[in-house]
Amino acid sequence: MKRYMQNIHRVVSYVPGDQPNFPDMVKLNTNENPYSPAPGVQEALRQSEVEQIRLYPDPTAHELNAAIAKAYHVDESQVFTGVGSDDVLAMIFQTFFRADLPILFPDITYAFYPVWCDLFRIPYAVQPLNDQLEIVPEDYTRENGGIIFPNPNAPTGAELPQSAIAYILEQNPESLVVVDEAYVDFGAQSALPLLERYENLLVVQTFSKSRSLAGERIGFAIGAPELIRALHDVKFSFNSYTMNCSALAAGTASVRDWAYLEKTTEKIITTRERCKQVFSKLGFRFPDSKSNFLFVTHPEVDAHALFEALREVHIFVRWFNAPRVRDYLRITIGTDAQMDQLFDFLRDYLGKKRG
Ligand SMILES: *Cc1c(COP(=O)(O)O)cnc(C)c1O
């Protein structure tokens, strides 16, 4: 084999959920928001059009960062933005997880974490969730090179109480603790207030789920100015213009409309709570979810077979071919009408199974 072929940095990549495109589909497989982005976003996108894209975007993302800082009551020096929280998280792994010690995260969690570890050659040690699929805070007291977990966790939807996060921070004064709050707006408590007490905390959020802007790719981190400066230094050593003009404009308009965020997330929470009752009645079990999805299992149903049957009728959900979760499906909370279409199918499917 040629040397250049031998020297390729070979990696096993993250596999995102399918993006099928059928006019009649019910798409509940990638935790997108069924509602439109805030009304101001449409106006902002119209204004940011052709004349502006002749120019480079603002590399400091000042307007967006300032709007985020205002909305979350922090200083702009505490805000870092990137191309989706995937970009922000990748930057965090590269910037901070440099010790020879393993970083810690749950065995059942966001599948991108081990991929970044392999890509950046970061050692890691997964900590098993308990039988109720909850994070065990005591597992995060061993020596480590950093800690990361989503809260609520994905794909379980389970929330770790703020007292447990404070405990993990308290036990790890020498480690950076990253809380990935991709789903926090759907009723969980944010770790942001803990920033006043702990300088080793970074909180990461995204505009993709609660703000209906998955296609614009906007994510951010909030933490101590020293940490944010380090992130900017790495970012500017790699690509100064990560976020494009339209994402900057759309994100700014979105974050300025807090009332709209509350209105749409409330709608999804109401639908989710109703869905919990229907799933329970149908015999499904699931961890209590504070996110915009439910992670369901059924004692009489093969999850992969159900996944395939749903796909046949263009109802898309997510099945993970991974240890401990093969019997589960992760189902995004869509509109009430979409969920009713799913439940109609499930009643029929379970009825046929029982004969
Ligand atoms: C969706 C998700 C992200 C990434 O979202 P972006 O679209 O890249 O902002 C990060 N972490 C978790 C746990 C997620 O579910």
Side-chain angles (χ1 to χ4, degrees), residues 16 18 24 40 96 113 125 129 201 210 227 253 275 308 341 349-350:
D18 291 337
D24 65 337
F96 299 110
Y113 301 161
L129 300 183
L201 168 66
S210 58
L227 301 178
C275 290
E308 299 271 5
Q341 226 174 305
Y349 187 83
L350 291 164

Side-chain angles (χ1 to χ4, degrees), residues 33-39 185-186 209-212 257-271:
N33 196 310
Y35 303 112
S36 307
D185 294 329
F186 300 103
K209 279 83 182 221
S210 58
R211 294 183 184 275
S212 310
D257 196 342
W258 198 270
Y260 185 83
L261 172 75
E262 286 193 336
K263 193 174 82 180
T264 47
T265 49
E266 263 316 311
K267 259 162 80 171
I268 291 168
I269 291 168
T270 304
T271 305

Side-chain angles (χ1 to χ4, degrees), residues 84-86 89 110 113 150 154 180 182-183 206 208-209 217-219:
S85 56
D86 285 342
L89 289 163
Y110 190 37
Y113 301 161
D180 177 356
Y183 302 101
T206 176
S208 297
K209 279 83 182 221
R217 316 300 306 125
I218 309 165

